[in-house]
């Protein structure tokens, strides 16, 4: 797999609002109507397996997968693999254009320019990432762990501190490192739904911290 400091993105924009955001961190990202695609677009115009974006060295290449209605880049139907450049619009349905954002050429995105990276609403137990609500919300335990780390960004919290905060005293005995690590992984995956930034950092041999830009 090619290594990038940051992955490129696909954005579904409506005006200045971001309706969808997907990281292209994998070697190959598939788009289509079927649920087994990386990006699912539920539209009768879209084939079950419609198109694919793959990483080739520093380049991102889009190709049609033999779809019924074809794949367009900047309004023109592609006949073979096409190298993407920052700002290209990919259409697999007339109603939705997915904008390719190159990791090396991005300015702050329209609705994200002024929004804080990560905000927790303790009363409502909701998480906002660059102004967007994480939905569905985190579980009670996941939110408690994230809120603990967010109290002092950059500070490393030990596993014992995590256990004390997340699990009541009468339940804390027998909480394994694997259980804590699994919860951290689940929180990371949820946060990545809105932003590929790795907010949670594991400090080997000690614990965890949160880094907010």
């Amino acid at each position: 797999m090619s290594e990038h400091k940051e992955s490129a993105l696909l954005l579904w924009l409506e005006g200045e609002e971001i309706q969808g955001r997907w990281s292209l961190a994998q070697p190959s990202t598939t788009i289509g109507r079927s649920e087994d695609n990386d990006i699912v677009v539920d539209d009768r115009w879209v084939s079950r397996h419609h198109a694919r974006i793959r990483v080739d060295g520093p380049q991102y290449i889009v190709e049609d997968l033999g779809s019924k209605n074809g794949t367009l880049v900047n309004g023109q139907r592609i006949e073979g693999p096409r190298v993407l450049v920052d700002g290209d619009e990919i259409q697999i349905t007339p109603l939705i254009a997915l904008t390719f954002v190159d990791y090396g050429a991005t300015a702050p995105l329209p609705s994200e320019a002024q929004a804080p990276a990560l905000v927790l609403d303790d009363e409502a137990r909701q998480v906002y990432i660059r102004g967007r609500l994480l939905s569905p919300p985190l579980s009670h335990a996941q939110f408690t762990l994230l809120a603990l780390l967010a109290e002092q960004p950059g500070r490393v919290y030990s596993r014992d501190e995590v256990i004390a905060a997340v699990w009541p005293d009468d339940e804390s005995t027998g909480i394994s490192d694997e259980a804590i690590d699994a919860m951290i992984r689940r929180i990371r995956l949820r946060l990545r739904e809105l932003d590929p930034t790795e907010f949670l950092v594991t400090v080997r041999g000690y614990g965890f911290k949160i880094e907010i830009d």
Side-chain angles (χ1 to χ4, degrees), residues 67-139:
S67 67
K68 180 179 178 181
N69 293 306
T71 300
L72 284 69
V73 175
N74 301 330
Q76 295 186 337
R77 183 166 179 160
I78 61 173
E79 301 299 332
R82 166 77 174 263
V83 176
L84 293 168
V85 298
D86 186 60
D88 277 350
E89 287 194 348
I90 302 167
Q91 277 188 286
I92 59 173
T93 166
L95 299 178
I96 299 174
L98 303 176
T99 302
F100 174 73
V101 182
D102 190 345
Y103 75 97
T106 57
L109 301 174
S111 65
E112 298 177 348
Q114 304 302 323
L118 183 68
V119 174
L120 275 63
D121 183 338
D122 292 324
E123 184 174 341
R125 303 189 74 79
Q126 298 282 10
V127 178
Y128 294 84
I129 300 178
R130 305 193 192 281
R132 301 175 64 207
L133 174 65
L134 182 65
S135 180
L138 297 178
S139 70

Side-chain angles (χ1 to χ4, degrees), residues 160-185:
D160 287 341
E161 288 176 299
V162 169
I163 291 173
V166 177
W167 287 273
D169 291 341
D170 59 346
E171 298 179 8
S172 61
T173 55
I175 300 299
S176 66
D177 287 349
E178 288 76 14
I180 301 172
D181 291 338
M183 183 174 291
I184 290 287
R185 283 196 299 272

